[in-house]
Amino acid sequence: MATMLLAVSCGSNEPKSKVLVLYYSQTSNTKMVAEEIANKLGADIEEIVAENPYDGDFNATIERCLKERENGEIPEIKRVKSKIEKYDVIFLGYPIWFGTYAPPVAKFLQDVDLSGKKIVPFCTFGSGGLESSLKDLRKAQPNAKLMNAYGVRAARMDAMPAEVNQFLAENNYIRGEYVILENFGDLHEVTEEESSIFNKAVADYPMIHAKALMAAKRRIPGGVEYLYLAEDLPREAKGNMPPAGQMKVYVQMMNGKSPVFTRVVR
Ligand SMILES: Cc1cc2nc3c(=O)[nH]c(=O)nc-3n(C[C@H](O)[C@H](O)[C@H](O)COP(=O)(O)O)c2cc1C
């Protein structure tokens, strides 16, 4: 196998541009990512605040959100104080709710015109939803320039600071070293061992009840990463579950550690 490459970014992506980190967060995960990014960039930061804040309780929020979706309602937000026109690059952060950005961010995107701005999306999620949120973002702000995005599972916040560093360096926002990952190997039918690694990785996440069909793997610093093609096992249809089907699941197995999944792409 080829050796992993280290590269050094000169951080020249946005030499003189003004950067704002704008985010919504209900239970602080996205806030932690936002602060990490703002600190590393020395950027301005502001929180998007709902006029009538969502309850911190998970089930109460799901219920309110389902009702709002049924009624086609998007909740009001407090006025964003930052002068958006002053900024060239907006790092926009959100938790994934029902496969897309949380409603306060939908409201912000409805009210603002980000034409010509660079948007760098970042998000936190239980299992995934970055890719589907990007589709919505593209529709909401068709004239903005959507840049590479970063997403992390709520259960992996300990890995976040190093990942943010890698993300900012590989996209040239900061100076520093980053790893150029090798490509995944061939996608093949899962072996018994790979199937058992998949099952272990998703075992403690009740929303995933799936069977791995195919797998590919590559080395990453300190371990191995698997890409699985998996399919939902039969399950009860519920309003807050995505429709059953196939998905990609990324799993990391660091040396000496149990496997963990890092994101699901449906
Ligand atoms: C109403 C609601 C809906 C959610 N929907 C999803 C979802 O569709 N997919 C997912 O992976 N996580 C989902 N989550 C989990 C959140 O994305 C996750 O906990 C996130 O880290 C919360 O970010 P915060 O702490 O910044 O509020 C949902 C959480 C809530 C409260």
Side-chain angles (χ1 to χ4, degrees):
M1 245 192 261
T3 45
M4 248 173 292
L5 289 177
L6 253 191
V8 182
S9 156
C10 59
S12 62
N13 197 351
E14 308 298 338
K16 286 188 200 80
S17 51
K18 283 283 285 176
V19 182
L20 173 67
V21 178
L22 193 60
Y23 70 96
Y24 171 73
S25 182
Q26 186 197 28
T27 51
S28 290
N29 293 326
T30 313
K31 180 188 168 100
M32 280 164 66
V33 185
E35 287 174 348
E36 189 71 29
I37 292 173
N39 281 341
K40 292 212 161 111
L41 294 177
D44 295 342
I45 180 166
E46 183 173 346
E47 181 176 3
I48 295 174
V49 181
E51 199 65 71
N52 169 19
Y54 286 90
D55 191 309
D57 176 71
F58 181 77
N59 288 327
T61 307
I62 295 270
E63 251 173 59
R64 175 175 155 192
C65 214
L66 281 173
K67 248 185 228 149
E68 286 172 349
R69 286 160 66 89
E70 255 175 49
N71 300 337
E73 285 167 13
I74 305 184
E76 292 297 325
I77 54 171
K78 291 197 194 308
R79 198 174 58 80
V80 169
K81 294 188 192 79
S82 306
K83 296 217 176 325
I84 299 292
E85 61 278 12
K86 231 175 66 178
Y87 297 94
D88 313 297
V89 185
I90 294 167
F91 280 69
L92 183 65
Y94 44 84
I96 297 291
W97 286 10
F98 297 101
T100 191
Y101 34 78
V105 171
K107 184 64 185 161
F108 167 73
L109 290 169
Q110 201 176 56
D111 293 349
V112 77
D113 180 5
L114 299 177
S115 296
K117 310 263 181 219
K118 289 181 179 168
I119 307 181
V120 187
F122 63 95
C123 62
T124 66
F125 41 73
S127 60
L130 169 63
E131 295 72 14
S132 41
S133 75
L134 295 182
K135 280 191 202 149
D136 291 341
L137 196 43
R138 210 165 279 127
K139 269 190 242 154
Q141 293 290 331
N143 298 319
K145 185 160 186 225
L146 221 52
M147 310 298 282
N148 287 340
Y150 170 69
V152 63
R153 279 186 65 203
R156 292 185 62 253
M157 294 307 287
D158 53 343
M160 179 273 291
E163 287 187 357
V164 163
N165 213 59
Q166 158 91 11
F167 175 78
L168 295 177
E170 78 187 344
N171 288 288
N172 233 350
Y173 296 110
I174 57 169
R175 266 169 217 265
E177 280 186 355
Y178 63 95
V179 179
I180 300 178
L181 292 178
E182 55 193 41
N183 291 330
F184 280 100
D186 288 339
L187 197 63
H188 54 269
E189 208 169 299
V190 280
T191 63
E192 238 172 75
E193 190 198 357
E194 285 166 343
S195 180
S196 130
I197 290 172
F198 175 84
N199 291 340
K200 266 190 212 147
V202 301
D204 59 356
Y205 196 80
M207 304 279 281
I208 303 179
H209 184 47
K211 177 180 169 8
L213 305 173
M214 311 279 284
K217 89 188 202 188
R218 66 176 172 187
R219 287 181 316 150
I220 56 172
V224 181
E225 183 175 30
Y226 293 87
L227 163 58
Y228 288 97
L229 203 64
E231 144 182 288
D232 284 301
L233 292 167
R235 62 181 188 193
E236 220 183 298
K238 277 200 205 146
N240 59 353
M241 295 280 275
Q246 289 209 339
M247 69 198 95
K248 282 185 197 161
V249 182
Y250 292 81
V251 171
Q252 286 187 359
M253 196 154 85
M254 306 316 264
N255 300 333
K257 298 253 172 75
S258 299
V260 287
F261 80 91
T262 56
R263 70 196 163 103
V264 174
V265 185
R266 284 188 178 270

